[in-house]
């Protein structure tokens, strides 16, 4: 481990250090300096700038040591570490869980608590603090979801980070009902209803950030499971280049999305980033001189200058009914969240025929089967052939953590992997990029559709025309040192 790794691991330490009474928290925050190690003769401090003699003197006095070892670290990491340290011991999920576990370790009772009992439990200070810390640590860990799962003997929590679930500190078993109730109170759900699923929303303010949380509860045999989707509206949307789209694919996709009419589909499983890609496409082509309308389920991020419609089945607003109304709004570009039923597909196809550009998604494993998906939805072959301009299949792969990246031997030579560190929570991966497979509907491919050749023949013909499959794109990312062979195999094994 080099010096940089050691510094960052100290900054990411779960247990905050103790500051002496002579060193005020205000001083630490104001000067952006954090003690990260102490021995008999010296104190080690981290800061984002070079050693300051005056501050070093203050620290020598505060810690009563003759020597100050000064190390530099990234400013953002020092700032986050200072906030964790000044939160005080126990002001992390791990610390608070440890304290609350001592208070009572009895498992959940066999009798269901009343609504009044649940409300009282949900508003207890330790429960409120624990739930708030769970949200805070999930956001700091870049989690997209929090899973709170009730078991026969207690409750567990997990974060979804870079598409994978990782364990979070499990709350004490005796707080099972209290934690679920607290989340339901925050989402304005019926706290006494535990027999049917419920959906709600929470709006949080965490360290000057507004976070939208979609809440879903599901009754299970041992209690309610709660999944919390974390959405940060302030997060800057990524461009197509930042999503990882290679130059050749980007150039061809850019031509497609600038066409005046037709259908462009993005395919892939749930959680593969399809909507993010469509948002990036809209950002790329909208100029303010066209009418852009979307229908989504749900609307995850607001796009300035775009009319966005939320699906509301209880009120009769489905993809199909909304799309039918959108066509009376004189749109130029329409984004449909998903082609999931024959009626929606039929309206979208006819919208494309009448001069609209339609962007949408389908749940298929690759680009070629996106065509057969439309045929399965009952769209006539000649309509598919005449309206579909292109289909982009995609996956998200985890990137090797740059902090703990190291060379390894692979079957075809030398590769890279992350050994695991505090920054990546021991996974060896940090952040994600897209793999893309673009099928452009040229004349020969349109003839294949009309001849009902099937997805295999369509894929083969598209490869002859230059389409690179997802797995081939993944192998390129391995060669560039971006990801690992294991990761590429994981996300492309079904394609």
């Amino acid at each position: 481990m080099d010096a940089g790794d050691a510094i960052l691991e100290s900054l990411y330490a779960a247990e905050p250090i103790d500051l002496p009474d002579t060193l005020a928290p205000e001083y630490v925050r104001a000067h952006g300096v954090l003690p990260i190690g102490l021995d008999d003769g010296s104190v080690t401090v981290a800061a984002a700038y070079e050693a300051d003699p005056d501050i070093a003197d203050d620290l020598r006095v505060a810690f009563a040591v003759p020597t100050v070892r000064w190390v530099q670290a990234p400013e953002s990491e020092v700032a986050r570490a200072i906030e964790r340290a000044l939160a005080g011991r126990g002001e992390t999920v791990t610390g608070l869980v440890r304290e609350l576990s001592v208070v009572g370790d009895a498992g959940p009772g066999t009798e269901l608590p009343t609504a009044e009992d649940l409300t009282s439990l949900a508003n207890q200070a330790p429960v409120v603090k624990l739930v708030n810390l769970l949200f805070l640590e999930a956001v700091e860990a870049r989690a997209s979801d929090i899973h709170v799962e009730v078991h026969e003997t207690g409750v567990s929590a997990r974060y979804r980070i870079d598409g994978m679930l990782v364990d979070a500190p499990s709350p004490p078993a005796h707080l099972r009902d209290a934690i679920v109730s607290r989340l339901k109170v925050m989402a304005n759900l019926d706290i006494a209803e535990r027999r049917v699923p419920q959906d709600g929303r929470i709006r949080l303010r965490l360290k000057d950030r507004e976070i939208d949380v979609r809440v879903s509860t599901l009754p299970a045999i041992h209690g309610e499971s709660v999944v919390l989707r974390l959405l940060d509206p302030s997060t800057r949307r990524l461009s197509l280049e930042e999503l990882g789209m290679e130059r050749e694919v980007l150039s061809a996709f850019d031509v497609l999305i600038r066409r005046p009419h037709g259908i462009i589909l993005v395919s892939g499983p749930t959680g593969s980033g399809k909507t993010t890609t469509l948002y990036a496409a809209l950002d790329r082509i909208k100029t303010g001189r066209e009418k852009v309308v979307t229908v989504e389920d749900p609307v995850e991020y607001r796009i300035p200058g775009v009319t966005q419609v939320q699906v509301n089945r209880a009120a009769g607003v489905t993809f199909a009914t909304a799309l039918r109304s959108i066509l009376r709004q004189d749109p130029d570009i329409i984004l449909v969240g998903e082609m999931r039923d024959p009626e929606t597909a039929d309206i979208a196809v006819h919208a494309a025929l009448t001069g609209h550009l339609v962007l949408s998604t389908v749940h298929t494993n690759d680009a070629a089967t996106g065509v057969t998906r439309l045929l399965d939805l009952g769209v006539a072959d000649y309509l598919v052939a005449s309206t579909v301009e292109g289909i982009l299949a995609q996956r998200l792969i985890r990137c090797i953590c740059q902090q703990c990246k190291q060379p390894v031997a692979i079957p075809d030579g030398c590769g890279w992997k992350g050994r695991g560190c505090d920054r990546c929570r021991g996974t060896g991966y940090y952040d994600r990029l897209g793999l893309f497979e673009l099928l452009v509907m040229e004349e020969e491919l349109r003839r294949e559709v009309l001849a009902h050749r099937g997805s295999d023949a369509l894929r083969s013909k598209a490869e002859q025309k230059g389409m690179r499959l997802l797995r081939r794109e993944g192998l390129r990312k391995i060669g560039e040192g971006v990801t690992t062979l294991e990761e590429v195999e994981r996300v492309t094994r079904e394609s």
Side-chain angles (χ1 to χ4, degrees):
M1 178 185 297
D2 60 29
D5 286 345
I7 293 167
L8 286 172
E9 288 202 8
S10 297
L11 290 177
Y12 292 125
E15 291 290 345
I17 66 170
D18 289 323
L19 300 178
D21 294 336
T22 52
L23 190 64
E26 292 76 16
Y27 183 96
V28 172
R29 280 198 178 97
H31 295 284
V33 60
L34 179 67
I36 59 175
L38 181 65
D39 56 32
D40 293 337
S42 68
V43 60
T44 302
V45 298
Y49 50 92
E50 294 181 357
D52 185 302
D54 293 333
I55 296 176
D57 286 340
D58 293 340
L59 293 169
R60 272 192 287 269
V61 173
F63 284 93
V65 294
T67 306
V68 174
R69 292 184 59 248
W70 194 284
V71 295
Q72 283 188 260
E75 182 177 4
S76 60
E77 306 302 345
V78 173
R80 280 199 288 266
I82 286 174
E83 291 305 316
R84 286 197 294 269
L86 296 185
R89 191 171 299 277
E91 293 301 306
T92 62
V93 174
T94 301
L96 189 55
V97 164
R98 187 182 300 117
E99 290 184 4
L100 294 176
S101 296
V102 175
V103 174
D105 57 3
T110 56
E111 294 185 5
L112 290 176
T114 65
E116 292 76 12
D117 292 336
L118 291 172
T119 302
S120 176
L121 288 170
N123 291 317
Q124 290 178 356
V127 175
V128 172
K129 182 183 291 187
L130 179 58
V131 170
N132 289 345
L133 283 173
L134 197 67
F135 278 120
L136 180 60
E137 291 199 358
V139 170
E140 289 186 341
R142 305 176 300 107
S144 61
D145 304 83
I146 304 173
H147 289 240
V148 178
E149 299 162 325
V150 174
H151 310 293
E152 183 176 9
T153 57
V155 59
S156 65
R158 295 191 287 175
Y159 301 144
R160 188 174 293 281
I161 302 173
D162 293 333
M164 305 293 285
L165 283 173
V166 299
D167 290 334
S170 294
H174 67 281
L175 293 181
R176 180 186 75 173
D177 293 329
I179 290 169
V180 172
S181 297
R182 177 62 190 167
L183 294 170
K184 292 172 73 173
V185 166
M186 295 174 72
N188 293 316
L189 301 180
D190 185 349
I191 197 171
E193 180 56 76
R194 287 162 287 186
R195 299 167 299 174
V196 298
Q198 297 186 67
D199 295 308
R201 301 184 79 92
I202 301 172
R203 190 167 185 83
L204 298 174
R205 186 168 185 83
L206 299 173
K207 291 189 176 180
D208 299 325
R209 295 170 64 184
E210 296 283 349
I211 305 295
D212 285 328
V213 184
R214 292 209 320 265
V215 182
S216 172
T217 71
L218 182 68
I221 59 174
H222 297 302
E224 290 176 284
S225 169
V226 185
V227 175
L228 310 157
R229 168 63 57 87
L230 308 177
L231 303 170
D232 186 351
S234 66
T235 301
R236 182 181 64 86
R237 289 191 302 278
L238 299 177
S239 66
L240 293 175
E241 292 90 343
E242 291 170 320
L243 292 175
M245 194 172 285
E246 298 287 349
R247 184 182 300 119
E248 299 92 335
V249 176
L250 175 61
S251 177
F253 189 63
D254 188 67
V255 171
L256 293 178
I257 61 179
R258 295 183 188 279
R259 290 185 177 174
H261 53 77
I263 294 176
I264 298 167
L265 298 174
V266 179
S267 73
T270 300
S272 59
K274 300 186 296 296
T275 302
T276 300
T277 297
L278 289 181
Y279 281 173
L282 280 183
D283 284 336
R284 193 175 186 89
I285 61 176
K286 69 183 180 69
T287 65
R289 297 188 297 272
E290 62 280 296
K291 174 79 169 184
V292 183
V293 186
T294 77
V295 52
E296 305 170 62
D297 183 22
V299 175
E300 295 191 359
Y301 295 101
R302 276 44 172 184
I303 309 176
V306 174
T307 301
Q308 294 175 271
V309 179
Q310 168 81 49
V311 167
N312 185 343
R313 291 178 183 79
V317 181
T318 64
F319 280 115
T321 59
L323 185 54
R324 200 180 298 278
S325 297
I326 285 171
L327 292 176
R328 295 194 288 271
Q329 291 283 306
D330 188 29
D332 297 294
I333 302 171
I334 303 170
L335 188 155
V336 184
E338 183 184 346
M339 295 274 198
R340 63 170 56 168
D341 59 79
E343 186 179 7
T344 301
D346 180 68
I347 300 171
V349 165
H350 283 87
L353 282 173
T354 53
H356 304 88
L357 180 65
V358 180
L359 309 177
S360 190
T361 71
V362 288
H363 285 285
T364 60
N365 287 332
D366 60 17
T369 52
V371 172
T372 57
R373 175 61 177 155
L374 289 182
L375 296 173
D376 291 341
L377 288 174
V379 180
D381 54 6
Y382 68 92
L383 291 177
V384 172
S386 60
T387 59
V388 175
E389 299 294 335
I391 302 176
L392 180 75
Q394 70 177 69
R395 297 289 190 279
L396 290 177
I397 55 166
R398 293 181 294 169
C399 301
I400 299 170
C401 175
Q402 295 300 304
Q403 189 60 44
C404 59
K405 185 176 180 179
Q406 61 184 17
V408 294
I410 60 174
D412 295 324
C414 182
W416 298 87
K417 69 175 295 183
R419 67 174 178 272
C421 64
D422 288 327
R423 179 174 185 258
C424 61
R425 302 175 70 92
T427 65
Y429 298 96
Y430 189 92
D431 211 353
R432 291 188 290 178
L433 281 179
L435 295 181
F436 300 94
E437 170 186 298
L438 180 61
L439 183 151
V440 179
M441 288 289 286
E442 300 177 354
E443 283 307 312
E444 287 188 45
L445 296 180
R446 297 185 196 280
R447 289 196 291 270
E448 293 290 318
V449 174
L450 292 173
H452 294 267
R453 300 293 188 194
S455 59
D456 289 341
L458 199 62
R459 186 183 306 108
S460 177
K461 182 66 70 174
E463 280 192 88
Q464 295 174 23
K465 292 292 183 179
M467 181 181 77
R468 282 202 293 265
L469 299 182
L470 287 167
R471 185 171 181 82
R472 183 176 170 188
E473 287 298 293
L475 295 176
R476 174 190 286 195
K477 297 294 186 186
I478 294 172
E480 295 172 352
V482 173
T483 192
T484 64
L485 178 61
E486 294 82 5
E487 183 68 4
V488 170
E489 288 180 342
R490 181 183 69 85
V491 301
T492 64
R493 58 181 173 233
E494 294 180 354
S495 55

